[in-house]
Amino acid sequence: MKTIWNIARKDLALRSRDRSIFIIGLVAPLALAFIFNLVFGGSINDVGESVRFEYGLVDLDQGDVALAFGDVMANLESEALISVERFGTEAAGRTAVEDGTVDAIIILPADLTSRITSGEPAKLEVVGNVDSPTGATIASSIAERFSTGLASATDAALTAVATGVVDPTGIAEAAAEAGALPPLATVVDIEAGIRQLDAATFFVAGLSIFFMFFVAGLGVTSMLEERRDGTMTRLIASPIRRSSIIAGKALTSVLIGLVAMITLVITSTLVMGANWGRPLGVLLLIVSAVLAVVALMSFVGGLAKTAEQAGNLQSIVAVTLGMLGGTFVPISDPTSFLGKLRFLTPNAWFLRGLADLSGGSIADTLPAVAVLALIAVVFGAAALSVARRVVTT
Amino acid sequence: MTERAVLEATELNKRYGDLHAVRGVSFHIDAGETYGLLGPNGAGKTTTIAMVGGLLENDGGQVLIEGEPMTVHTLDPRRKIGLVPQDLAIYPDLTARENLTFFARLYELGGRRLKDRVENVLEVIGLRDRADDRAGEFSGGMKRRLNIGIGLLHEPRLLILDEPTVGVDPQSRNAILESVEALSADGMAVLYTTHYMEEAERLANRVGIIDQGEIKAEGTRRQLVQMVGERDRISITANGPLESVVSDLRALSGVQDVGASDGQITLLVEDASALLALALETVAKNGASVSSVVVEEPDLEAAFLHLTGKALRD
């Protein structure tokens, strides 16, 4: 262990004198996230504007208010903005969400009309697909706008009813009209909203994991550099195991990765107002993501014969996985080929883990942590076998 | 060979596909002895060193370091070896002290001993004043000295120097050669590869001439030269009865041939250093006066040419 630390300490000293590590690990992701946030942040939910979202409607009420909401949805559907599928039961709707058949469902409770007409608060429930944050957000907005208008219309209608100006059955019409009003209040339970990242967090997280790929590759690249520069000969000639050299290099990458990621979390929280979620969950995700990316990039780099070749290979893999994993823009359609393919990348699992954490508990991140750990183990073993080939004179 | 050689290499073989890079190379080095492995580029010197240093798996043969087998997997014998690779093996972004400290730790040096050894080596290689400067800022000669210094840190029993003076200025080269002489005098066994004849002649107690992966001949310089029939030459310029001088000189034991012309007597002898005093005494005894003496010992170049059929620079 002493030897491994000795090698890692030397590499850390060398890297700290190389300014590129700070640029790749800290400056670039922060600067890009800041720019992305400025450009897209205010309209991140418009990213999928040209996409037609699939929504489900579970009408357990069948009353006038529910009919009015159905009309609102039908109007949007006629404008080709969304498509609506009706489900007879809440269970069927939730299954459709879990399967990714729809981006979100809106559940109209059985007592919706009666509660509205009696002046009691009502609750619309939105269940969003965690893999379609944009679609879920839009569904929440539709429900929120309707319920907000409904609340204000209800107040007005109740006053009118009380004074005998309006027939109580006309409240539905008033509510439908009010559905188009700007939001004034929130009465809906927006479940989907708790499972997506805000723009600043999304961009910082996505770009952090993207640039992590470049940092993570440094370990194996430095082995190839040591071979090129002749110092590998000296390392091998010394009374240390070759596996210690590999472990020292991997430790360097992991430490640099962890420091860069944690610094980014703190900085983006303080400077950009990013909301990463519970620290322990974030730490779990960061550790597992760094291990996964280091293992993956060590394997990729180990396939190369020279440091230059390794750098090129790693760049190709980093950019490809970054695009696939939704680093730069969210992939709005989880049922598409691309939507499914992205879960082959550590990027997508890291972002998903953060999304799960943003409104859920630490336990919600465990599936993502487990997948990232699995990637680390599988590629770590593969990297070890190819890295042995690099530890030669 | 003494009771137990520091290094004993026996029948080393290495193949790269069809190329038989090293063929049955055997040699040994005792404590305090410098063994020169002399050969042109591509002769198999570096491959031999790589097998001796445990860097490269051999296809046959054995390496023993003070009786312990050395392979690519063994660690203990490595503590007894200081390897100085041909290419500079230093970190240019670390200072001289940081370079030495890092490698010293790999050899399990720590605490007071580590500091003492680093300071001592800095002194030996003449870099104490530049200890905290980055190695990348050093001249070529200073880098070479640092490269050698790293190999000395753990006070090895065997120092392996692979062409340590390639690309070095004459001043640094001389400093390196002096260091090797001092280390050898202190009892360290040294394996020194070079393609510079004069370095092998100056440093090596014994020389192995290697070409095309084979040791063509081995021995002291004198033995190698004699092996190919070369003799020392003593040229004496004198005035007086040269004919009688020549006659007496010819009668001395160890004199192969004597000739005289234009006041100069030329003797071909087996060992000039052993015969010189007697030869001058003989000249004086015949009433001749000596005005100059030149002794020429045949160099390894002739032996190398004879054994390999090519000049070393090839």
Side-chain angles (χ1 to χ4, degrees):
Chain A
M1 193 60 210
K2 226 170 162 182
T3 304
I4 294 169
W5 173 237
N6 187 30
I7 292 171
R9 186 165 59 175
K10 181 265 298 176
D11 278 358
L12 288 171
L14 286 173
R15 294 296 174 191
S16 69
R17 288 168 195 181
D18 179 358
R19 287 176 195 163
S20 66
I21 192 72
F22 296 108
I23 294 169
I24 296 171
L26 294 173
V27 179
L30 261 183
L32 276 177
F34 188 71
I35 293 165
F36 274 37
N37 188 39
L38 280 180
V39 175
F40 300 119
S43 59
I44 185 172
N45 294 334
D46 296 338
V47 169
E49 199 172 315
S50 60
V51 178
R52 187 183 168 98
F53 291 104
E54 306 274 344
Y55 292 128
L57 184 62
V58 182
D59 182 0
L60 303 175
D61 179 42
Q62 303 288 331
D64 291 335
V65 174
L67 287 174
F69 186 78
D71 289 344
V72 171
M73 296 291 277
N75 282 340
L76 292 170
E77 194 172 20
S78 67
E79 290 170 28
L81 295 174
I82 62 170
S83 67
V84 182
E85 186 179 347
R86 287 177 178 272
F87 296 99
T89 64
E90 185 178 334
R94 285 185 181 273
T95 304
V97 172
E98 283 166 18
D99 293 346
T101 316
V102 295
D103 296 295
I105 57 169
I106 299 168
I107 303 167
L108 308 177
D111 56 355
L112 177 66
T113 301
S114 65
R115 291 181 77 89
I116 294 294
T117 51
S118 62
E120 292 176 45
K123 189 174 80 171
L124 272 66
E125 200 174 350
V126 176
V127 180
N129 185 325
V130 72
D131 298 326
S132 178
T134 310
T137 303
I138 291 172
S140 299
S141 298
I142 294 168
E144 192 171 355
R145 284 169 70 90
F146 178 79
S147 57
T148 302
L150 192 62
S152 56
T154 302
D155 286 343
L158 284 173
T159 306
V161 170
T163 54
V165 176
V166 176
D167 186 308
T169 55
I171 195 168
E173 192 182 334
E177 190 181 327
L181 292 174
L184 299 169
T186 301
V187 290
V188 290
D189 176 16
I190 307 168
E191 193 169 289
I194 62 173
R195 288 206 165 192
Q196 68 169 348
L197 297 169
D198 61 84
T201 314
F202 172 81
F203 285 126
V204 176
L207 289 167
S208 300
I209 189 83
F210 172 69
F211 281 100
M212 180 52 50
F213 277 77
F214 295 93
V215 172
L218 291 175
V220 74
T221 308
S222 84
M223 280 199 281
L224 290 161
E225 285 168 348
E226 295 231 27
R227 198 168 71 173
R228 179 193 65 198
D229 299 339
T231 42
M232 182 61 81
T233 300
R234 203 146 230 163
L235 293 179
I236 296 171
S238 62
I240 60 171
R241 299 193 181 284
R242 296 187 185 201
S243 55
S244 299
I245 300 172
I246 298 169
K249 299 291 181 182
L251 180 62
T252 308
S253 296
V254 169
L255 289 176
I256 293 175
L258 287 176
V259 170
M261 288 293 278
I262 291 168
T263 309
L264 282 167
V265 169
I266 295 168
T267 313
S268 61
T269 303
L270 296 176
V271 177
M272 297 167 63
N275 177 23
W276 290 77
R278 290 180 174 85
L280 183 60
V282 175
L283 188 65
L284 265 178
L285 279 166
I286 285 177
V287 170
S288 53
V290 167
L291 290 175
V293 174
V294 167
L296 178 62
M297 295 309 265
S298 298
F299 170 69
V300 171
L303 297 175
K305 287 183 179 169
T306 65
E308 292 71 23
Q309 229 178 52
N312 292 339
L313 265 178
Q314 287 167 339
S315 298
I316 292 167
V317 170
V319 172
T320 306
L321 294 185
M323 297 296 285
L324 269 182
T327 292
F328 306 107
V329 286
I331 297 168
S332 52
D333 184 0
T335 59
S336 67
F337 178 65
L338 200 60
K340 287 172 183 164
L341 206 59
R342 70 182 159 140
F343 284 111
L344 291 175
T345 71
N347 313 51
W349 284 106
F350 179 64
L351 292 172
R352 177 171 180 159
L354 286 174
D356 286 342
L357 183 67
S358 68
S361 65
I362 291 170
D364 291 329
T365 66
L366 293 182
V369 169
V371 173
L372 290 168
L374 183 67
I375 293 172
V377 170
V378 171
F379 281 98
L384 196 62
S385 70
V386 294
R388 285 185 187 281
R389 199 173 47 81
V390 179
V391 186
T392 56
T393 55
Chain B
M1 184 167 64
T2 56
E3 208 168 274
R4 191 168 76 174
V6 176
L7 166 67
E8 192 171 354
T10 314
E11 286 295 315
L12 292 179
N13 276 280
K14 185 66 191 174
R15 281 181 177 278
Y16 296 106
D18 293 336
L19 177 68
H20 204 159
V22 173
R23 310 162 183 239
V25 166
S26 298
F27 61 97
H28 73 273
I29 309 177
D30 293 333
E33 185 182 30
T34 298
Y35 186 93
L37 203 52
L38 183 68
N41 293 328
K45 301 189 297 290
T46 299
T47 305
T48 301
I49 275 186
M51 289 189 282
V52 169
L55 304 175
L56 187 64
E57 201 151 9
N58 61 47
D59 295 330
Q62 188 185 39
V63 174
L64 296 175
I65 306 295
E66 291 196 323
E68 280 187 85
M70 166 64 104
T71 70
V72 289
H73 305 294
T74 50
L75 298 183
D76 282 346
R78 289 167 200 268
R79 294 187 178 90
K80 297 174 181 174
I81 296 178
L83 179 72
V84 180
Q86 182 176 350
D87 296 323
L88 289 171
I90 57 175
Y91 297 102
D93 287 331
L94 295 184
T95 65
R97 193 191 304 280
E98 287 169 336
N99 266 290
L100 292 170
T101 303
F102 168 67
F103 285 109
R105 286 199 178 110
L106 292 185
Y107 284 87
E108 296 165 3
L109 269 62
R112 187 75 246 165
R113 178 147 189 260
L114 183 144
K115 282 185 180 170
D116 288 348
R117 285 303 303 152
V118 168
E119 290 308 315
N120 179 266
V121 169
L122 282 168
E123 187 70 43
V124 168
I125 60 179
L127 289 177
R128 188 185 275 274
D129 294 342
R130 303 288 304 272
D132 296 314
D133 291 344
R134 290 192 189 184
E137 296 165 3
F138 289 172
S139 67
M142 290 163 80
K143 286 177 186 169
R144 282 274 163 205
R145 271 143 55 197
L146 178 58
N147 197 37
I148 293 172
I150 292 168
L152 302 174
L153 279 164
H154 57 294
E155 298 177 285
R157 300 282 295 128
L158 170 68
L159 180 66
I160 301 175
L161 296 151
D162 190 7
E163 308 245 16
T165 58
V166 170
V168 171
D169 62 273
Q171 196 182 352
S172 293
R173 186 181 190 184
N174 195 48
I176 289 169
L177 297 182
E178 280 177 2
S179 299
V180 176
E181 285 170 328
L183 291 166
S184 179
D186 284 348
M188 194 180 283
V190 179
L191 171 56
Y192 192 101
T193 79
T194 183
H195 65 274
Y196 295 127
M197 198 72 69
E198 62 277 18
E199 287 184 6
E201 289 189 331
R202 174 172 166 181
L203 296 176
N205 303 98
R206 286 185 301 123
V207 173
I209 291 180
I210 186 170
D211 189 36
Q212 295 179 327
E214 281 182 293
I215 299 265
K216 301 288 184 185
E218 185 197 73
T220 62
R221 190 193 63 175
R222 179 159 303 283
Q223 287 168 335
L224 288 171
V225 168
Q226 285 178 348
M227 204 178 287
V228 297
E230 292 287 324
R231 297 289 180 264
D232 292 355
R233 180 188 296 264
I234 302 173
S235 301
I236 302 170
T237 308
N239 293 315
L242 295 189
E243 281 179 17
S244 61
V245 171
V246 168
S247 171
D248 285 357
L249 286 173
R250 191 166 282 141
L252 295 177
S253 168
V255 174
Q256 303 291 314
D257 194 16
V258 184
S261 69
D262 298 334
Q264 183 169 300
I265 305 165
T266 304
L267 295 90
L268 288 178
V269 301
E270 284 174 6
D271 185 352
S273 58
L275 259 172
L276 182 60
L278 192 56
L280 292 175
E281 196 182 313
T282 303
V283 174
K285 204 186 288 177
N286 281 279
S289 60
V290 175
S291 56
S292 75
V293 178
V294 176
V295 176
E296 292 173 279
E297 293 181 349
D299 61 20
L300 285 169
E301 184 80 48
F304 191 87
L305 186 63
H306 178 87
L307 289 163
T308 66
K310 57 188 157 191
L312 193 51
R313 65 185 64 87
D314 295 341

